[in-house]
Amino acid sequence: TDFDSKKKRKVAEIYQALNSDPIDVAALRRMAISEGGLLTDEIRCKVWPKLLSVNTDDLPPLPAGKELREDNKDYQQVLLDVRRSLRRFPPGMPDDQREGLQEELIDIILHVLKRNPQLHYYQGYHDIVVTFLLVVGDRLATALVEKLSTHHLRDFMDPTMDNTKHILNYLMPIIDQVNPEVHDFMQSAEVGTIFALSWLITWFGHVLSDFRHVVRLYDFFLACHPLMPIYFAAVIVLYREQEVLDCECDMASVHHLLSQIPQDLPYETLISRAGDLFVQFPPSELAREAAQQQAERTAASTFKDFELVSVQQRPDTVLRQRFRERLRGEERTKSILTKPRTNRFVKLAVMGLTVALGAAALAVVKSALEWAPKFELQIFP
């Protein structure tokens, strides 16, 4: 069938990118974002490490669980959360196999926390770790989760919730750009953004029951800017526009509606919409609206270094790019300060075009380098 041949072609392209020298990480990002994502767990085992620039050749051996568990301040909480995570394992998995995986899950979490004392465990973290464990196995999962925890998830692992709240603050400005009516309705209902907290901090792993949808989203998020999950959250709310507007306009009703996430979402459509929105309303444009005082400390600000490393370019091209970025950054800073808010309906006429042109994937990666103009000037001295 047509679908099978498309899939075969995509698999071939992924392997071609993996086998090129240097590895074509930009192509792998595009594959992870575009329809169907990375297709199989076998491919994910090869591509996820590349998206996170984790070297799979010298993975450290895992420490014995017993040393990790003794006198670990998080052990009891991790144990409780992991015991409650039954539904995150495939239905029908034999008990002893699941229990073995749960022990591995505890060890991975404690190992990462022990090696990175600056990171604080939060409830929901295990939902992310179990996804990696089920896809790539314990040793590779440990390396990937550690990289992720010091980059994309860094804000959720602070001692306070301040940076997590800061990221949630992006939700309403995105909704406002696309659909002021839904935005104003939600403001009137005073619903806030807490309904999206578990979506954000588990990368939707906690709220989606079908594992295939979870790993498809992980393909997407691993290939994109750390704020992409909040764009995806906004797209889910926008997709449910009619239900929201038909709801009683009070906090309890709207919160209840939104926190029950439908399981049959059109994931591919929503992924490409989230990519579109990111391109049209990059975080740097929304930053003023989203209480911006803490942007300096969020993970997104360190993403740029990470991005340059993971693209694995030759040093001379990095230097040339830095110079160009700096010029562009100064230009952009000027334009943002003088630019009135453009007519959103004109902007929305572009919707869908970016994905059709295949540009969204490229632009998402490009604008990953654009978190806020001032970082451009700071990180590229």
Side-chain angles (χ1 to χ4, degrees), residues 6-38:
K6 244 165 75 175
K7 198 168 155 178
K8 273 199 190 103
R9 205 161 52 238
K10 187 168 192 181
V11 171
E13 283 174 34
I14 292 171
Y15 279 103
Q16 192 183 340
L18 281 168
N19 295 328
S20 68
D21 181 31
I23 288 170
D24 189 346
V25 179
L28 293 175
R29 285 179 188 279
R30 282 200 308 276
M31 303 293 162
I33 294 168
S34 65
E35 191 181 350
L38 294 171

Side-chain angles (χ1 to χ4, degrees), residues 286-299:
L286 301 171
R288 239 203 254 121
E289 283 185 64
Q292 220 243 331
Q293 64 287 28
Q294 284 179 314
E296 281 82 358
R297 286 190 316 180
T298 52

